[in-house]
Every structure is written in structure tokens, then in C-alpha cells.
């Protein structure tokens, strides 16, 4: 009776407890499975280490990052996989956490992968405790390498933008000075006639000013404020002109071998930008030959046809002027060759280069409609191949005689507005020497007063773009509304987008510095168009 009932209830309770235990075990297995699946599939790495910093558990992601197997963990620590400069920081941070001292839950550091590359990691760290005692730490590690790369590129771009603004401002002021130097040297050259000694001295002044003007173009190119003007260019002349600077760039232990082709075709390009390409590549070659070597520069006409597609797969069939630069330096790996034209990519030590030189060269060549490639082997040197579309005709001899240009003359009335007194004086003299009637003003308000008090026709307004109180374009719009027939030329030391190409106000643009011939020629074109 009673005993039998009690035994039945006891057996039922045992069975219920057994079912509950099995359910608990199943729930535990399911929980463990879900945890394992979560740990194995998330992008973050999970690591548990003991009080001495030895790793006792690592997720598959961590093992993958650092090329480890589970059996390798016995002697692995987080400090051990940290980059050399981060080891002390990681060791001290871990010590503070296990001792219960104040330390942030998140911090970032760099690790070294098995293949030697670096990985930026953000660590979210918690302590592991048992019965109130700290047993170690658990870290969730997130790969921040790509985010760091983007942040660094953004900071670099901001720094370059700041430097670019400074460079543009310097170039603007320098171009004002060069306008004065070029203008007065041209005026004096007209006055000295055939007096040899004085003429030679003035020619040297003029040439020095023109070279300085080329330097300002480089500054403006860097600051992205230059107007690119493609003209028919003799690549051989560009190489010969650039050769004058190669000695300072390369050093005495690098031999230069020029192999310039004859009857070379002309190309449509900006000569200053092609010179910049050469300089960037010469600097790259110099850095690859720390113990000296040979740099060979070659030019020739080149035809890429269908049969040469395998040898030059990245160059469309056509007629080209070929330019190559070959060095006997350290060479490049396949990986580096694939990325060599990427902006900000560099193999140099931090602070030794920006990684913009070859990227700039690539952009300039492509802007000319050309193609650029690289072939290299480690310890066997590097060759850069440049293909520029060839124009009809040939470039002619290197030492072509210069042709005197006579400034086009006029008779019209010109209102000249320039806030820099020296520039205003020489520009006014240039215009008067070419026959123009000149009214001068030092800024917008004075120019408006002159124009409104002048009852006759003002055929042309020549105004600086950047002036105090009123910009040249603002002045031009006001006076143009009052005198619709008046033509406008904006002059500036900055090389902004030419209005005829990118602006919507219809004004013409002339960049400083300019010679009397260029100024007069521009005015005749505008007045007679």
C-alpha cells in the first residue's frame, strides 16, 4: 500500500530528475555549440590568457591572423605577437588589469603576422575571475588595419592640402615678382640693341626668370592650381633640359646614359609636367641605387601593333613616342610592381617619402593620353616604360634657332587694374610700348571711379584676379554690365581654371608671369575675336 505508493512516486521523481538533467546537458551542449559557432565565425578574434600572460584559449580567427595552430599556443603571449615598439605597452597594460589597477577597457596596438605584415588591433579587455580571484584576461580583438589606413590617408591628404595652399600662395607672390623681372628685362633688351655685353647679361636675367617661372609651375601643380596647356612637345628637348638638374638629384656615383632617338615624333603634352615625370622617376631610381649604378634614358618612335599585344598588353595599338628609364638598382617584387602607381604607396621608411611621386607621374602620362608601365626583378633593376601618342611630323633638331617674336600692336584704350605697384607699372609700360592708351588703377574702387568718369570707349579691362576690397572678377562683372562692349582679361599669379574652358563668365585668363609678347598677343586675340 503506502510503501508501494511511495516507491512509485520516488521512481517518478528520479525519472523526472534524469529528464531534467538530460535537458540541462542538451541545453549546455546547444549553448556550447552556439558559443563555438559564434567564436569561430565572427570577424573578431577571442583570446583568453592567464595571470602570467600566456594564452590558454584562442579562436580560429586569432590562429589565422598569426599563422598558428592550437598546439602552438603553449608559449604564445599577446606581448609576443605585438610589434616591437608595442611590447612594453602590452605587458604593462596586462599587468595593471590582473592586479586590479586602473586601466581602460579598450586600447589599440599593432601586431606582427606570421608573414611579417602588421595588423592594427583594437582590444576590448575584461578580467576573468573565479571565486573572487583574478585568473587572467579575456580580449576581443578587432582588425582595424583598413580603418587606420584610411585615417592615415585622410590625415596625409589634409596635410598635403595645407601645404598646397601655402605653395599656391608662395607661387602667386613669386609670379608677381617674375612678371616685373621678365617685363623689365624684355624692355631693356629692346633698348640695348646689339650691345653684346649688356645683351648677354639681360638674356641671362630673362632665362633665370623663366626657369624660376617653371619652378612656380611645379608649386602650382602640387597645389592643384595650375592650368595644364598641352602643346606640341619634343620629348628629346624635355630630357635635355631636365638633364641639367639630374646631377644634383643623382649624385656623383650614378652614371647617366642618354640614348635619344633621331627623327622623333612630336607629342601633345605639357613640357613642364613631362619634366616633373622625369624628375620623379630619377629620384625613384636614385633611391634604388644606394651604392651607385647606371641610369639609362631612352627615346624612340615606337609602333604597337596587334602582333605586339602580348608584349605590351596594356598599350592599345598605335604610333607612339617611347620613353624609358632603366636603373641597375635593387628592383621590385611582383607585389610592389602591382601597387607602385597607387597614391601613398611607398616602400620607404616612415618619413622618407609620401608615395605620391609615381602616382603623379601616372596621372600626368594618362592625362596626355599615354600609357605607363613597369618591369622589374629583385636585384636586377627596374625599367619604366612610357608611351605617348605621336603626332604627325617629326620634332626636328635639338638646337633649333630661336625665332624672334614681335609683340602685336594696338591702339585701343585699356583700363589696367593691379594692386601691386611694380607689376602695375611694368604692365602699363608693356601696353604703352605696344601702342595702347592706358588708364591705371590700384584696385576696384579706383577703377570704377575712373571708368565712370571716362566718357569715351574703354575697349579692354585688364585686371588682377585677387585684390583687396574687390576681386577682379567682381569688378569685371560690374563694369561689363555698364559697358557691354568692353572685353575682359583676368590676370593672376594663381593659375585658376581658365574661364574659356571651365568658367561661366566669358572672361579670358592670362597667367603671370608673362612677357610683353604674350600679353600683347593675348590682347589682340581677345580684341579681334
Amino acid at each position: 500500500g503506502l510503501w508501494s505508493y511511495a516507491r512509485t512516486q520516488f521512481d517518478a521523481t528520479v525519472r523526472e530528475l534524469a529528464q531534467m538533467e538530460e535537458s540541462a546537458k542538451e541545453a549546455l551542449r546547444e549553448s556550447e555549440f552556439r558559443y563555438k559557432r559564434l567564436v569561430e565565425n565572427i570577424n573578431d578574434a577571442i583570446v583568453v590568457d592567464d595571470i602570467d600572460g600566456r594564452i590558454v584559449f584562442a579562436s580560429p580567427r586569432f590562429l589565422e591572423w598569426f599563422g598558428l595552430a592550437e598546439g602552438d599556443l603553449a608559449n604564445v603571449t599577446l606581448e609576443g605577437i605585438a610589434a616591437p615598439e608595442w611590447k612594453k605597452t602590452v605587458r604593462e597594460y596586462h599587468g595593471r588589469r590582473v592586479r586590479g589597477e586602473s586601466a581602460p577597457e579598450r586600447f589599440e596596438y599593432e601586431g606582427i603576422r606570421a608573414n611579417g605584415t602588421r595588423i592594427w588591433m583594437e582590444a576590448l579587455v575584461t578580467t576573468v575571475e573565479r571565486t573572487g580571484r583574478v585568473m587572467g584576461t579575456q580580449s576581443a580583438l578587432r582588425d582595424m588595419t583598413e580603418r587606420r589606413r584610411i585615417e592615415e590617408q585622410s590625415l596625409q591628404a589634409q596635410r598635403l592640402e595645407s601645404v598646397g595652399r601655402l605653395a599656391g600662395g608662395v607661387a602667386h607672390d613669386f609670379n608677381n615678382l617674375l612678371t616685373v623681372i621678365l617685363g623689365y628685362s624684355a624692355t631693356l633688351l629692346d633698348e640695348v640693341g646689339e650691345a653684346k655685353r649688356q645683351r648677354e647679361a639681360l638674356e641671362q636675367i630673362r632665362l633665370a626668370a623663366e626657369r624660376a617661372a617653371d619652378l612656380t609651375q611645379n608649386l602650382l601643380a602640387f597645389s592643384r592650381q595650375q592650368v595644364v596647356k598641352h602643346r606640341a612637345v619634343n620629348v628629346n628637348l624635355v630630357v635635355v633640359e631636365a638633364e641639367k638638374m639630374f646631377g644634383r638629384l643623382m649624385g656623383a656615383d650614378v652614371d647617366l646614359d642618354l640614348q635619344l632617338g633621331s627623327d622623333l615624333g612630336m607629342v601633345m603634352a605639357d613640357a613642364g609636367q613631362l619634366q616633373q615625370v622625369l624628375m620623379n622617376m630619377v629620384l625613384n631610381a636614385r633611391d634604388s641605387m644606394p651604392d651607385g649604378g647606371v641610369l639609362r634614358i631612352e627615346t624612340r618612335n615606337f609602333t604597337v601593333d596587334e602582333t605586339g599585344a602580348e608584349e605590351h598588353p596594356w598599350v592599345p595599338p598605335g604610333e607612339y613616342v617611347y620613353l624609358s628609364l632603366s636603373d641597375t638598382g635593387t628592383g621590385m617584387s611582383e607585389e610592389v610592381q602591382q601597387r607602385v602607381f597607387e597614391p601613398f604607396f611607398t616602400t620607404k621608411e616612415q618619413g622618407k617619402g609620401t608615395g605620391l611621386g609615381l602616382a603623379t607621374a601616372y596621372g600626368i602620362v594618362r592625362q596626355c593620353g599615354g600609357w605607363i608601365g613597369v618591369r622589374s626583378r629583385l636585384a636586377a633593376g627596374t625599367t619604366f616604360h612610357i608611351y605617348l601618342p605621336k603626332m604627325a611630323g617629326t620634332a626636328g633638331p635639338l638646337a633649333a634657332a630661336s625665332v624672334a617674336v614681335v609683340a602685336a600692336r594696338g591702339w585701343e584704350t585699356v583700363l589696367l587694374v593691379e594692386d601691386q605697384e611694380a607689376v602695375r607699372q611694368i604692365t602699363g609700360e608693356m601696353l604703352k610700348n605696344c601702342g595702347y592708351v592706358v588708364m591705371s588703377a590700384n584696385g576696384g574702387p579706383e577703377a570704377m571711379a575712373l571708368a565712370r568718369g571716362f566718357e569715351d570707349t574703354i575697349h579692354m579691362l585688364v585686371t588682377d584676379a585677387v585684390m583687396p576690397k574687390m576681386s577682379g572678377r567682381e569688378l569685371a562683372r560690374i563694369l561689363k554690365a555698364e559697358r557691354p562692349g568692353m572685353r575682359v582679361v583676368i590676370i593672376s599669379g594663381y593659375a585658376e581654371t581658365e574661364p574659356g574652358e571651365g568658367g561661366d563668365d566669358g572672361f579670358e585668363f592670362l597667367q603671370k608671369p608673362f612677357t610683353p609678347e604674350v600679353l600683347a598677343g593675348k590682347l589682340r586675340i581677345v580684341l579681334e575675336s
Side-chain angles (χ1 to χ4, degrees):
L2 182 59
W3 173 253
S4 176
Y5 174 76
R7 182 57 185 264
T8 302
Q9 290 295 107
F10 176 77
D11 290 343
T13 301
V14 170
R15 286 194 299 272
E16 185 176 351
L17 288 172
Q19 290 175 354
M20 290 174 63
E21 181 181 7
E22 184 60 32
S23 296
K25 288 181 179 179
E26 180 63 29
L28 179 60
R29 286 193 294 269
E30 179 65 23
S31 176
E32 289 175 346
F33 174 76
R34 289 178 179 175
Y35 178 77
K36 182 179 180 182
R37 188 170 56 183
L38 174 65
V39 168
E40 289 179 348
N41 290 288
I42 61 173
N43 286 327
D44 295 347
I46 306 298
V47 179
V48 179
D49 59 16
D50 62 19
I51 197 167
D52 296 320
R54 290 188 299 269
I55 295 176
V56 296
F57 170 81
S59 68
R61 187 71 63 194
F62 182 87
L63 301 177
E64 174 191 330
W65 283 355
F66 297 99
L68 299 170
E70 288 189 16
D72 300 329
L73 291 178
N75 298 312
V76 177
T77 63
L78 288 179
E79 178 187 342
I81 58 93
E85 66 272 24
W86 284 98
K87 291 184 182 298
K88 181 180 178 182
T89 301
V90 173
R91 181 173 65 252
E92 292 177 348
Y93 176 85
H94 182 271
R96 289 199 303 272
R97 291 309 303 259
V98 297
R99 290 194 299 269
E101 298 174 3
S102 175
E105 288 189 351
R106 293 176 184 267
F107 84 109
E108 294 186 13
Y109 64 98
E110 278 187 293
I112 303 292
R113 300 177 190 263
N115 62 4
T117 60
R118 294 192 169 218
I119 176 174
W120 265 104
M121 296 178 294
E122 179 188 55
L124 174 60
V125 185
T126 57
T127 55
V128 178
E129 298 182 3
R130 185 179 299 168
T131 63
R133 179 184 175 189
V134 176
M135 306 301 293
T137 66
Q138 175 177 289
S139 302
L141 305 175
R142 176 160 295 176
D143 184 354
M144 307 299 289
T145 308
E146 182 63 17
R147 192 188 78 177
R148 277 279 185 162
R149 185 185 67 82
I150 293 172
E151 288 175 352
E152 288 174 1
Q153 286 191 355
S154 176
L155 289 173
Q156 177 74 350
Q158 291 175 19
R159 286 194 294 269
L160 290 175
E161 184 69 24
S162 298
V163 176
R165 291 178 182 173
L166 174 62
V170 170
H172 171 264
D173 293 339
F174 201 40
N175 278 336
N176 276 332
L177 298 174
L178 291 173
T179 300
V180 177
I181 296 171
L182 284 171
Y184 279 116
S185 61
T187 301
L188 291 173
L189 278 168
D190 289 339
E191 294 178 0
V192 298
E194 298 302 321
K196 185 176 180 181
R197 182 176 178 183
Q198 292 89 335
R199 191 168 190 85
E200 287 178 353
L202 288 169
E203 284 285 0
Q204 290 301 314
I205 293 173
R206 182 182 61 81
L207 288 172
E210 289 176 351
R211 291 194 184 100
D214 290 338
L215 292 176
T216 63
Q217 285 300 308
N218 289 336
L219 284 175
L220 290 169
F222 176 75
S223 62
R224 293 176 297 171
Q225 296 176 11
Q226 86 281 22
V227 175
V228 178
K229 296 182 179 180
H230 287 175
R231 298 184 177 88
V233 172
N234 179 346
V235 175
N236 282 348
L237 280 175
V238 174
V239 175
V240 170
E241 187 65 26
E243 182 189 3
K244 301 171 184 176
M245 291 178 278
F246 287 168
R248 295 197 300 272
L249 294 176
M250 295 187 303
D253 55 353
V254 176
D255 294 326
L256 179 63
D257 178 17
L258 294 185
Q259 298 183 4
L260 305 183
S262 59
D263 299 326
L264 201 67
M266 301 287 282
V267 301
M268 285 297 292
D270 184 295
Q273 286 199 330
L274 284 186
Q275 199 170 85
Q276 183 180 354
V277 170
L278 285 169
M279 294 302 173
N280 289 345
M281 292 193 165
V282 167
L283 287 172
N284 189 77
R286 180 203 64 187
D287 292 341
S288 73
M289 297 185 288
D291 300 321
V294 177
L295 173 63
R296 178 177 296 107
I297 300 178
E298 179 186 359
T299 64
R300 67 176 187 269
N301 295 320
F302 195 90
T303 301
V304 177
D305 53 23
E306 299 294 343
T307 60
E310 293 185 4
E311 186 179 357
H312 312 278
W314 36 275
V315 183
E319 297 291 327
Y320 295 90
V321 170
Y322 171 78
L323 168 65
S324 69
L325 293 91
S326 304
D327 64 61
T328 57
T330 54
M332 306 179 192
S333 67
E334 288 289 340
E335 180 184 1
V336 171
Q337 289 180 63
Q338 291 175 4
R339 300 189 59 193
V340 72
F341 296 117
E342 291 182 12
F344 304 109
F345 175 76
T346 179
T347 58
K348 299 175 183 177
E349 298 176 11
Q350 187 173 1
K352 298 294 185 180
T354 63
L356 287 173
L358 294 178
T360 301
Y362 178 88
I364 290 172
V365 171
R366 293 296 293 123
Q367 194 173 22
C368 297
W371 302 85
I372 182 171
V374 60
R375 287 183 180 172
S376 181
R377 285 189 302 157
L378 288 173
T382 300
T383 299
F384 285 95
H385 306 270
I386 299 173
Y387 300 81
L388 300 170
K390 187 174 73 169
M391 300 171 59
T394 59
L398 285 180
S402 60
V403 179
V405 179
V406 179
R409 296 188 63 78
W411 52 270
E412 294 88 347
T413 299
V414 177
L415 174 57
L416 172 64
V417 188
E418 168 63 64
D419 61 310
Q420 296 290 323
E421 183 177 359
V423 179
R424 185 171 67 252
Q425 287 182 354
I426 187 57
T427 306
E429 286 191 30
M430 292 180 190
L431 293 172
K432 291 174 183 176
N433 291 340
C434 290
Y436 294 98
V437 177
V438 180
M439 300 190 300
S440 296
N442 64 9
E446 183 179 347
M448 291 177 60
L450 275 176
R452 288 168 178 170
F454 188 75
E455 297 181 357
D456 208 344
T457 302
I458 298 177
H459 301 89
M460 170 76 73
L461 169 67
V462 177
T463 177
D464 189 29
V466 182
M467 298 182 294
K469 298 181 181 178
M470 181 182 294
S471 73
R473 293 186 183 278
E474 183 182 359
L475 170 65
R477 283 191 288 269
I478 295 173
L479 293 185
K480 185 74 172 172
E482 298 176 2
R483 295 173 176 263
M486 183 183 68
R487 304 298 176 88
V488 176
V489 172
I490 305 291
I491 58 176
S492 179
Y494 293 111
E496 303 164 322
T497 302
E498 288 187 272
E501 297 178 358
D504 55 3
D505 50 21
F507 304 151
E508 292 293 328
F509 180 84
L510 178 62
Q511 185 184 339
K512 299 174 184 174
F514 44 76
T515 63
E517 294 81 11
V518 170
L519 174 64
K522 183 72 170 182
L523 264 61
R524 290 320 313 160
I525 291 172
V526 174
L527 287 168
E528 296 174 6
S529 62

